[in-house]
């Protein structure tokens, strides 16, 4: 054997030895069913017959480049009807199954504004532009988005058991990834907190835990994680200020209403720093409109009353100041903002409808906050007190002006329950229960039927299923003339089975 032949033999021996299949040759020889000596880049058989020598890895590489170009240019197939405004937002990422990914992303794009009670038009477009690009650029945020979408899709596709398995797999991967990411943040310097993709991922799971509700205990750790992450970032300049503002708005909504019923399980001190850092008078918000500062008012009242069984004069004075401010504020009679830009006239009708919904939601929250603060000042006040019944009457009048198909209905769990504490008339009780049931038909979250059952027990009515109250739960019967209205934070002791978001 010559040195040259020995060198050539040694050159290709490692490749032949490392191959899992020793007889794997070029594609041309395999098609011709001929033995291939596996010499790269052109085997002797192809060279002898003047044939192109193709190898599997070459085809695989070209295929991957072709698929990558397709992913970069267009993520969704044309038949799924993804809105035009999302074109160009796509980056490259990996998911287990491409057809499932297409389906879940399409479902999220179509349905997520409803889950978030986002009004149609410009607000919907802004919401999607906040969420979609961030999720597509970060695999962990994408896992949370897909888990949320799969959890909702399960409600409609009951005959697809594999969808449930995919949902559980995505949720488990999202929770595990968030746990690792949050632990990593503990050792990061404050100056490094500029990206908000992790905050968005946590808040998407908060939406998942409420919209696809199963257990409040699964929501509380996510809210505490979001409080920690945002507290670390409030002193830093965000990479995307509009995204940061949206995330703060969503966080305040979830945290404030959850602290009302489960405040003792949340990081209230961390959250207080976040609430204090927000400017609520810069204009209408994306999710809550002008009601955003009322959400903050709920948090303030909860914070003042949660750990003060013996109310001091300072706390009582602050609550009285809040009551005075709520009495003085109202949006009744206010007109929508005037559109001066001719190019914006096409949005005027949609904006007018959105403003109408905002006004009604603001009044409903304002009136419910009045009930909350009045009973916080005087926990022994009777539900039949004329001042409370006047507020209840105004609340139900405003409620009737909000259409049943309005996306803002999804925000009404808290004000409906608070007003329900003073609804002593059967007609008022029926209106509240009817609205909760109508909302459930659209949102399909167990929060609403569980709230209905709680109110029926509160009012001394039989539940639809004939369930009996928990023996360990003391729920007052508001049909009794001697009953008093319990303080809002006492809902924890009353055994409310759900959060009111």
């Amino acid at each position: 054997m010559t040195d040259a032949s020995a060198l050539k033999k040694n050159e290709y021996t490692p490749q032949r030895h490392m191959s899992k299949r020793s007889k794997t040759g070029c594609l041309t020889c395999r098609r011709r069913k001929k033995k291939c000596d596996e010499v790269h880049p052109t085997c002797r058989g192809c060279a002898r017959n003047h044939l192109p020598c193709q190898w599997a890895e070459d085809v695989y590489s070209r295929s991957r480049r072709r698929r990558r170009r397709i992913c970069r240019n267009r993520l969704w197939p044309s038949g799924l009807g993804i809105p035009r405004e999302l074109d160009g937002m796509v980056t490259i990422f990996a998911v287990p199954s491409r057809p499932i990914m297409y389906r879940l992303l399409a479902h999220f794009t179509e349905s997520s504004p409803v889950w978030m009670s986002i009004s149609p038009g410009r607000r919907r477009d802004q919401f999607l532009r906040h969420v979609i690009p961030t999720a597509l650029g970060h695999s962990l945020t994408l896992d949370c988005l897909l888990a949320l979408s799969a959890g909702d899709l399960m409600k409609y596709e009951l005959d697809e058991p594999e969808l449930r398995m995919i949902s559980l797999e995505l949720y488990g991967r999202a929770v595990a990834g968030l746990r690792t990411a949050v632990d990593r943040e503990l050792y990061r310097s404050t100056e490094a907190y500029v990206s908000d993709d992790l905050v968005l991922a946590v808040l998407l799971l908060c939406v998942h835990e409420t919209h696809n509700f199963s257990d409040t205990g699964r929501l509380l750790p996510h809210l505490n994680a979001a409080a920690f992450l945002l507290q670390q970032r409030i002193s830093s300049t965000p990479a995307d200020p509009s995204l940061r503002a949206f995330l703060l708005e969503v966080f305040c909504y979830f945290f404030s209403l959850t602290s009302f019923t489960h405040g003792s399980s949340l990081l209230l001190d961390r959250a207080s720093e976040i609430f204090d850092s927000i400017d609520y008078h810069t204009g209408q918000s994306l999710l809550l409109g002008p009601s955003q500062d009322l959400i903050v008012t709920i948090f303030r009242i909860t914070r003042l009353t949660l750990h003060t069984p013996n109310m001091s004069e300072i706390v009582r004075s602050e609550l009285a100041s809040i009551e005075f401010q709520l009495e003085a504020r109202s949006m009744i009679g206010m007109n929508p903002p005037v559109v001066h830009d001719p190019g914006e006239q096409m949005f005027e009708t949609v904006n007018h409808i959105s403003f109408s919904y905002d006004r009604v939601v603001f009044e409903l929250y304002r009136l419910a906050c009045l009930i909350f603060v009045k009973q916080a000042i005087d926990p022994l006040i009777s539900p039949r007190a004329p001042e409370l019944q006047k507020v209840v009457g105004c609340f139900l009048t405003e409620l009737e002006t909000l259409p049943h198909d309005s996306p803002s209905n999804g925000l009404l769990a808290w004000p409906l329950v608070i007003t329900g504490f003073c609804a002593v008339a059967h007609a008022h009780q029926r209106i509240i229960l009817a609205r909760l049931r109508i909302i459930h038909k659209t949102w399909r979250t167990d929060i609403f039927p569980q709230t209905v059952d709680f109110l029926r027990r509160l009012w001394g009515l039989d539940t639809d299923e004939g369930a009996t109250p928990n023996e360990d739960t003391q729920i007052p019967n508001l049909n009794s003339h001697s009953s008093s209205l319990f303080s809002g934070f006492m809902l924890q002791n009353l055994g409310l089975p759900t959060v009111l978001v």
Side-chain angles (χ1 to χ4, degrees):
M1 181 180 297
T2 64
D3 294 340
S5 61
L7 179 62
K8 183 170 291 189
K9 180 178 180 180
N10 292 334
E11 180 181 355
Y12 296 106
T13 298
Q15 294 187 16
R16 186 179 298 113
H17 175 71
M18 295 174 61
S19 177
K20 295 182 179 180
R21 295 180 57 193
S22 61
K23 294 184 179 180
T24 300
C26 71
L27 297 179
T28 305
C29 290
R30 293 171 64 182
R31 283 194 294 266
R32 297 173 62 232
K33 297 183 180 181
K34 300 293 183 179
K35 184 177 180 179
C36 181
D37 59 1
E38 301 182 22
V39 175
H40 285 68
T42 304
C43 70
R44 291 189 179 89
C46 292
R48 184 172 55 254
N49 293 282
H50 305 287
L51 297 174
C53 189
Q54 296 181 338
W55 297 90
E57 56 265 35
D58 297 334
V59 177
Y60 175 75
S61 177
R62 287 195 297 271
S63 177
R64 283 186 62 85
R65 287 196 297 269
R66 183 166 57 254
R67 288 198 298 268
R68 187 176 295 117
R69 286 194 296 269
I70 293 174
C71 283
R72 185 180 293 114
N73 295 333
R74 188 183 66 194
L75 173 64
W76 291 280
S78 57
L80 290 177
I82 300 304
R84 293 179 181 177
E85 62 267 24
L86 299 184
D87 287 346
M89 293 184 178
V90 180
T91 56
I92 304 169
F93 54 90
V95 292
S97 169
R98 190 171 299 275
I100 289 295
M101 176 194 71
Y102 290 155
R103 187 179 178 190
L104 294 180
L105 285 171
H107 184 68
F108 182 89
T109 305
E110 177 70 22
S111 304
S112 59
V114 177
W115 308 336
M116 299 296 296
S117 301
I118 301 290
S119 300
R122 181 176 299 170
R123 287 189 184 180
R124 174 186 178 276
D125 297 342
Q126 291 175 348
F127 164 74
L128 292 175
R129 288 189 176 276
H130 283 319
V131 177
I132 296 293
T134 306
L136 296 182
H138 303 87
S139 59
L140 179 56
T141 309
L142 179 66
D143 285 341
C144 296
L145 183 151
L146 295 177
L148 167 60
S149 182
D152 180 72
L153 193 59
M154 283 170 49
K155 304 172 187 176
Y156 305 91
E157 305 295 344
L158 301 178
D159 57 344
E160 294 190 37
E162 65 275 10
L163 186 60
R164 175 176 177 80
M165 298 183 64
I166 292 171
S167 174
L168 294 175
E169 177 184 354
L170 289 169
Y171 178 80
R173 191 168 64 181
V175 171
L178 283 177
R179 184 181 296 112
T180 302
V182 172
D183 289 342
R184 192 183 303 118
E185 294 258 340
L186 292 172
Y187 305 99
R188 183 177 297 181
S189 61
T190 305
E191 292 76 10
Y193 296 115
V194 292
S195 176
D196 290 329
D197 56 285
L198 185 57
V199 181
L200 176 59
V202 175
L203 291 177
L204 284 172
L205 275 194
C206 290
V207 178
H208 173 75
E209 303 296 4
T210 54
H211 183 66
N212 306 316
F213 181 76
S214 60
D215 183 9
T216 302
R218 293 168 58 176
L219 171 65
L220 302 179
H222 301 327
L223 283 177
N224 284 331
F228 164 75
L229 295 172
L230 282 171
Q231 187 207 28
Q232 301 297 320
R233 287 164 167 77
I234 55 177
S235 60
S236 64
T237 301
D240 186 346
S242 61
L243 174 62
R244 172 71 64 82
F246 172 69
L247 295 177
L248 288 171
E249 180 184 5
V250 175
F251 169 79
C252 289
Y253 172 73
F254 278 95
F255 199 95
S256 180
L257 298 189
T258 304
S259 65
F260 173 74
T261 53
H262 298 79
S264 60
S265 302
L266 295 174
L267 302 175
L268 298 182
D269 293 336
R270 287 185 180 270
S272 294
E273 296 183 31
I274 300 170
F275 279 85
D276 294 340
S277 68
I278 303 174
D279 182 6
Y280 301 101
H281 305 287
T282 57
Q284 287 195 353
S285 61
L286 181 60
L287 173 64
L288 300 165
S291 302
Q292 185 176 9
D293 59 342
L294 293 177
I295 298 296
V296 180
T297 300
I298 297 171
F299 180 77
R300 289 175 57 197
I301 300 173
T302 301
R303 191 83 195 282
L304 288 170
T305 57
L306 185 59
H307 299 301
T308 54
N310 298 322
M311 190 177 300
S312 66
E313 286 302 321
I314 297 178
V315 173
R316 192 180 300 275
S317 174
E318 188 167 352
L319 290 174
S321 175
I322 294 174
E323 180 184 14
F324 176 79
Q325 295 172 10
L326 290 171
E327 293 277 9
R329 297 187 63 185
S330 177
M331 289 186 65
I332 297 178
M334 292 184 62
N335 296 320
V338 179
V339 179
H340 298 286
D341 187 355
E344 300 293 324
Q345 293 296 325
M346 60 180 297
F347 299 105
E348 185 173 2
T349 302
V350 175
N351 291 339
H352 181 81
I353 295 174
S354 298
F355 178 84
S356 176
Y357 294 163
D358 289 342
R359 185 197 64 79
V360 176
V361 172
F362 178 88
E363 286 299 312
L364 295 178
Y365 266 92
R366 183 183 73 87
L367 294 169
C369 284
L370 268 176
I371 295 175
F372 184 22
V373 72
K374 286 178 182 294
Q375 65 84 202
I377 295 173
D378 183 9
L380 298 180
I381 189 173
S382 170
R384 290 179 169 78
E387 57 181 311
L388 291 181
Q389 288 304 305
K390 179 181 178 181
V391 176
V392 172
C394 293
F395 179 93
L396 295 176
T397 300
E398 284 294 324
L399 182 64
E400 291 299 317
T401 65
L402 186 67
H404 292 168
D405 59 350
S406 167
S408 300
N409 279 288
L411 303 172
L412 299 186
W414 187 85
L416 286 171
V417 170
I418 297 304
T419 307
F421 270 90
C422 298
V424 295
H426 291 299
H428 294 168
Q429 295 171 1
R430 286 195 295 270
I431 293 174
I432 292 174
L433 292 181
R435 181 59 65 117
L436 286 169
R437 287 169 176 145
I438 290 172
I439 296 172
H440 178 249
K441 291 181 180 179
T442 300
W443 275 261
R444 294 199 181 188
T445 170
D446 287 343
I447 287 178
F448 294 106
Q450 291 187 26
T451 301
V452 167
D453 291 342
F454 175 81
L455 288 176
R456 291 179 66 86
R457 294 197 300 271
L458 179 72
W459 296 329
L461 306 175
D462 294 330
T463 60
D464 292 340
E465 293 80 12
T468 58
N470 190 332
E471 294 180 356
D472 297 330
T473 301
Q474 299 298 322
I475 299 181
N477 184 351
L478 294 190
N479 290 325
S480 171
H481 288 271
S482 61
S483 65
S484 297
L485 180 62
F486 278 66
S487 180
F489 60 85
M490 292 293 289
L491 282 171
Q492 298 176 60
N493 300 330
L494 293 175
L496 187 70
T498 178
V499 292
L500 300 176
V501 295

